[in-house]
Amino acid sequence: MRPDTPAAHTAEAERLLRTAAQYPEDREPLLLQAAAHLELAGDRPAAAALYDSLLSPEPANPHLIRALKAANLWEYGHEAEARAIIDGLRSARPSEAAPWEIAAETLEAHDELEAAESTLTEAATLLGAAPELPHATQSLLITRHRVRRMLALPHDDWDVRADRLHTGVVPLDELHDPKRLWSLGSEDPVELQAEIDRLRSELGTYRTALSRPFPVAVLHWPEPELDELLAAYPELEAEYPTYRAHLTDIEASLRELSQAGTPNLGIVRATVPSYEAFAASESTHPSNADLLPQYATTLAARGRATGWPPARSSSCWCGSGRTYGECHGSDLP
């Protein structure tokens, strides 16, 4: 039976580790499977240790292992190390498509859309010249098509080839429509089916759905992102006169909403590439301030919101490194 809980994933990882000890000739693929189960169990440090153990001898697929390690590291806060690994992979120019695609999807998952696109373009230039492409390279070209659609870039020759390779009933341009991706949040068939089932359920209980409180999320632009946003779109300076004022407004707005009885409050972290992609999906310009609350709501709908208020002893939402009680919650009783 397929594991579907953290404990089951941990048990499956332990079984794979025992099997790898019994069959050393199959050690690498078994440990890669074990690392994947550890990630699903939430034990990312243990998964990182497995990737390191695989890299200590001479693995058969070093680039693939490094790409998986980078994706795992970024997910539990080791962004700088993950970026360094991805930069090293790009310099190494692997001859297999999978490491390129994993590295690019890691960048995409963290709203580094332009870096993801350039990574995939390098890979396409290196691997896509053959008249008959293996499945992994076809997948890479289709992933590149999706990222470029999110960036609102015009079709190029590689996109045309991806269109030809795609055999599904729904054309790639429709499948990768940014508005559709933002709405559904995933291309995974299982997740999409779950979304369909959820919508059917809500239609069956429409009155109940209408009575539920509408989730409210407030945008938080980290200081480097806010600087980049205002440099690119100075029209938004009226919304964000200074970074300090931005932080003050977030806390004040949330407290006001809370005092008014609004439930389910949260904060969503904004990035410029993600915001620009969302603006493109809405066929409007990022300088349009009316787009900001829509962007916040869409991020919250995709599960990106962090609940507010945090506990007084928890880290403050602003990223100062201090607790909430010492920072923006210092004046609370």
Side-chain angles (χ1 to χ4, degrees):
M1 184 174 70
R2 183 176 179 180
D4 57 2
T5 67
H9 282 295
T10 300
E12 181 65 10
E14 291 171 351
R15 185 190 70 80
L16 289 163
L17 290 171
R18 292 193 298 270
T19 305
Q22 294 173 347
Y23 301 97
E25 66 276 12
D26 295 323
R27 176 178 180 270
E28 186 169 317
L30 289 168
L31 291 191
L32 283 175
Q33 291 181 54
H37 281 290
L38 288 171
E39 289 188 36
L40 291 168
D43 194 350
R44 293 190 175 275
L50 268 189
Y51 292 131
D52 286 337
S53 71
L54 281 165
L55 290 168
S56 58
E58 293 186 4
N61 299 290
H63 299 307
L64 174 64
I65 296 167
R66 289 190 179 94
L68 291 168
K69 178 183 176 182
N72 177 59
L73 285 171
W74 204 324
E75 287 299 321
Y76 78 103
H78 296 265
E79 177 183 340
E81 187 177 354
R83 286 182 183 277
I85 292 172
I86 291 172
D87 289 343
L89 279 172
R90 294 177 68 174
S91 298
R93 298 173 63 81
S95 57
E96 310 83 29
W100 288 99
E101 187 167 13
I102 292 167
E105 288 185 333
T106 299
L107 292 164
E108 180 191 5
H110 295 277
D111 294 326
E112 301 279 348
L113 295 178
E114 292 178 351
E117 194 277 335
S118 64
T119 300
L120 291 163
T121 298
E122 287 178 30
T125 305
L126 179 67
L127 306 176
E132 296 294 329
L133 298 179
H135 175 76
T137 307
Q138 295 182 32
S139 174
L140 183 145
L141 291 182
I142 290 172
T143 296
R144 180 180 180 274
H145 184 288
R146 180 186 69 240
V147 172
R148 287 175 61 81
R149 284 280 281 141
M150 291 292 288
L151 287 167
L153 295 174
H155 273 28
D156 61 8
D157 291 344
W158 295 118
D159 292 323
V160 172
R161 189 165 188 185
D163 284 328
R164 290 202 302 266
L165 290 169
H166 178 64
T167 58
V169 176
V170 179
L172 275 188
D173 273 350
E174 182 179 345
L175 190 65
H176 293 164
D177 179 2
K179 194 176 185 69
R180 181 175 186 174
L181 293 179
W182 274 100
S183 299
L184 298 180
S186 173
E187 292 180 334
D188 184 275
V190 175
E191 293 181 2
L192 290 177
Q193 185 60 52
E195 178 71 6
I196 292 169
D197 292 341
R198 183 189 68 78
L199 290 171
R200 284 175 175 167
S201 174
E202 287 190 358
L203 285 171
T205 55
Y206 185 59
R207 291 179 183 271
T208 305
L210 285 177
S211 69
R212 294 172 187 162
F214 191 81
V216 175
V218 177
L219 283 177
H220 170 216
W221 295 91
E223 190 167 13
E225 295 290 339
L226 185 62
D227 290 344
E228 182 179 345
L229 178 78
L230 297 180
Y233 310 107
E235 299 90 341
L236 296 177
E237 287 182 359
E239 301 290 325
Y240 307 113
T242 67
Y243 181 63
R244 185 183 181 89
H246 172 48
L247 298 183
T248 301
D249 286 347
I250 291 173
E251 184 72 20
S253 297
L254 289 167
R255 291 190 190 187
E256 183 177 345
L257 289 166
S258 179
Q259 290 169 3
T262 306
N264 300 331
L265 298 175
I267 298 173
V268 286
R269 179 180 178 275
T271 69
V272 174
S274 169
Y275 177 60
E276 290 174 335
F278 180 69
S281 76
E282 294 292 317
S283 301
T284 189
H285 196 268
S287 62
N288 180 2
D290 293 339
L291 192 66
L292 294 167
Q294 298 175 44
Y295 174 53
T297 300
T298 303
L299 288 177
R302 297 185 68 188
R304 301 290 185 88
T306 300
W308 181 93
R312 288 182 61 85
S313 59
S314 298
S315 298
C316 189
W317 55 262
C318 72
S320 65
R322 294 179 291 169
T323 66
Y324 180 62
E326 298 169 334
C327 195
H328 281 90
S330 60
D331 60 341
L332 292 174

